[in-house]
Amino acid sequence: MQLALDATMTNVQGAVRTGSELDDIDALVRTYRPRLLRFVTFSIGDQDLAESITQDCFLKAYNGRGNFRGDCSVSTWLTSIALNLIRDQQRLQKFRFWRQARATAIDITDAASFLPSNESSPEAKILVREKAQQVQAALENLSTNQRTVFMMRFLEDMELSEIAAATKMPLNTVKTHLHRALKSVRAQVGTNL
Amino acid sequence: MSLTTNSRNSLHLSNDQIDDALLGDMAPEADRHLAACELCAARLAEARMPIDSFRTVTLAWSERRSATLPLQEFKMSAGPLRSAAGKRQPIWASAVAVLLALAVAVPVLRHETRLNGDESSQVPVAVSTPVADQSASDDQISRDNQMLSAIDRDLAASTESPAALGLKPVRSHISNQPANPSIQD
């Protein structure tokens, strides 16, 4: 009983903390926009559209912050909202969505130039850039579901159960998509040993 | 899931088990092996490297990209949401704005009307205008009638009869008389 009470208190404290975090939209945007923008951009492959969806996502989250129960992280909650907005966009644009977006896809070479200049050698940076390009190319060949769960797992660090909840897919389906996505990415990147 | 035998005839993780490790969904047996096997740990690190690279590069890109995007758009868009009135606030704000505009516009228009001259001097002009229009239209009608009459006279004087042109008179299709009496009979 005491344990249950403690857990409830923890959840309440978490909800209060995250609730106040959601009240400050400037701080919310500053903290979560980079990751959210990355998720949306590499989910749809269109930078301009991604920025628009990301902005809509923050407004929707801010508007519906009263519905946030604190049973997951704010990041996971935002990612779930973003996923719904992406799906809305997919429904709107249907077949044009991904294929047309690829024409305005971001250039990972350009992205690689933003690598932080820490102590890694130029050779290591080139290797990182090449591998990142290969993964990006591999992602484009995945199905929408495979790409979504892959990015949720490996970019957003979401637990499998959180991915299942966000995508409204059974846990085993999430695992299946993840395994297929991973197998496909590893085959194209060349790390199947 | 059991460990697989590699070319050196020793037990190591399969590719699926490496995938499980990447996904964080490893069986306890495989997890124990991974902790003890340098070769499998190296394979896992090699499999993880491209994904980590993608993750690092894309985060660096999105951080830089996000830094160039303005926060102001969010402030402006989220402004009305901050109030307890929620979405109703813009409607009330619009109503107040319309009332204010009317309150300012009506006195100004009245003031301009007074500046344009004596109101009493404008009223007869406004009243007399229809009378003047009426007399003008009567004159015009009279002139039109005269012109039409002249045209009729000219046409009557210049018209040649069909007989003069060697043609038979044409009966009207709506005449009561039969066009061919023999058929009637």
Side-chain angles (χ1 to χ4, degrees):
Chain A
M1 182 66 185
Q2 185 60 41
L3 280 174
L5 184 61
D6 289 345
T8 306
M9 291 294 288
T10 305
N11 285 340
V12 168
Q13 286 169 354
V16 169
R17 183 183 60 78
T18 50
S20 61
E21 190 178 6
L22 291 172
D23 286 337
D24 186 349
I25 192 166
D26 286 350
L28 193 70
V29 170
R30 264 194 298 271
T31 306
Y32 295 102
R33 184 162 61 182
R35 285 182 62 171
L36 201 62
L37 181 64
R38 174 179 65 172
F39 174 74
V40 179
T41 300
F42 289 94
S43 289
I44 62 173
D46 185 297
Q47 186 176 320
D48 294 335
L49 188 58
E51 287 170 8
S52 176
I53 289 176
T54 303
Q55 178 168 337
D56 288 350
C57 181
F58 279 111
L59 291 175
K60 197 167 185 177
Y62 186 81
N63 198 20
R65 63 192 186 280
N67 299 325
F68 181 68
R69 296 187 301 272
D71 49 4
C72 65
S73 68
V74 172
S75 177
T76 297
W77 187 59
L78 289 171
T79 305
S80 302
I81 295 172
L83 178 63
N84 286 333
L85 290 171
I86 289 168
R87 285 178 170 174
D88 288 345
Q89 194 67 32
Q90 285 172 324
R91 273 185 225 110
L92 281 175
Q93 300 201 3
K94 292 184 180 174
F95 302 109
R96 289 180 298 155
F97 184 72
W98 179 250
R99 290 182 181 176
Q100 196 176 54
R102 287 166 76 174
T104 56
I106 71 153
D107 184 2
I108 197 82
T109 311
D110 181 47
S113 66
F114 298 127
L115 274 175
S117 56
N118 50 19
E119 58 273 5
S120 59
S121 65
E123 292 81 8
K125 281 188 177 179
I126 291 172
L127 184 63
V128 165
R129 187 172 64 191
E130 283 179 0
K131 291 298 177 186
Q133 284 175 325
Q134 289 171 350
V135 173
Q136 187 199 17
L139 283 180
E140 289 182 5
N141 293 325
L142 298 181
S143 72
T144 303
N145 283 335
Q146 287 173 0
R147 186 166 51 244
T148 297
V149 297
F150 183 92
M151 292 182 52
M152 283 183 158
R153 180 71 191 101
F154 291 110
L155 297 189
E156 299 305 310
D157 291 325
M158 288 171 67
E159 298 295 330
L160 298 183
S161 58
E162 289 177 330
I163 297 171
T167 57
K168 297 180 177 61
M169 288 192 283
L171 186 60
N172 282 335
T173 306
V174 170
K175 285 183 181 179
T176 303
H177 281 309
L178 267 175
H179 272 283
R180 287 178 182 167
L182 199 52
K183 201 176 288 295
S184 176
V185 169
R186 288 183 66 197
Q188 291 186 60
V189 172
T191 54
N192 269 332
L193 303 175
Chain B
M1 189 179 288
S2 61
L3 301 177
T4 57
T5 305
N6 68 2
S7 57
R8 287 182 291 178
N9 205 25
S10 59
L11 294 177
H12 287 289
L13 298 180
S14 65
N15 282 336
D16 284 341
Q17 287 170 316
I18 295 290
D19 286 350
D20 287 339
L22 287 171
L23 297 175
D25 192 28
M26 282 189 81
E29 182 191 0
D31 201 11
R32 280 193 297 273
H33 173 81
L34 187 63
C37 179
E38 290 183 4
L39 180 63
C40 288
R43 288 173 60 207
L44 178 61
E46 189 177 354
R48 199 191 301 274
M49 186 267 179
I51 298 171
D52 286 346
S53 298
F54 180 71
R55 182 188 168 102
T56 305
V57 168
T58 53
L59 186 60
W61 171 83
S62 62
E63 281 177 343
R64 182 66 66 92
R65 181 67 196 161
S66 182
T68 62
L69 296 175
L71 284 174
Q72 198 63 29
E73 290 177 24
F74 291 97
K75 284 182 182 175
M76 290 172 66
S77 304
L81 301 174
R82 291 173 188 266
S83 71
K87 291 181 179 178
R88 299 169 84 179
Q89 189 191 10
I91 298 170
W92 285 108
S94 301
V96 169
V98 168
L99 287 174
L100 280 173
L102 286 173
V104 171
V106 169
V108 167
L109 287 173
R110 283 185 176 175
H111 182 65
E112 282 183 356
T113 304
R114 287 194 191 102
L115 287 177
N116 284 339
D118 189 5
E119 289 180 8
S120 61
S121 66
Q122 296 178 1
V123 172
V125 173
V127 170
S128 66
T129 301
V131 173
D133 289 345
Q134 184 65 36
S135 60
S137 65
D138 287 345
D139 291 343
Q140 184 65 42
I141 289 170
S142 176
R143 283 196 298 272
D144 289 346
N145 286 335
Q146 288 174 5
M147 183 178 70
L148 287 171
S149 298
I151 292 171
D152 283 343
R153 281 194 300 273
D154 291 344
L155 287 173
S158 64
T159 302
E160 295 177 348
S161 65
L165 297 173
L167 299 174
K168 292 181 180 176
V170 178
R171 294 180 185 271
S172 171
H173 292 294
I174 57 172
S175 171
N176 289 329
Q177 294 179 354
N180 190 350
S182 61
I183 296 174
Q184 184 71 17
D185 294 333

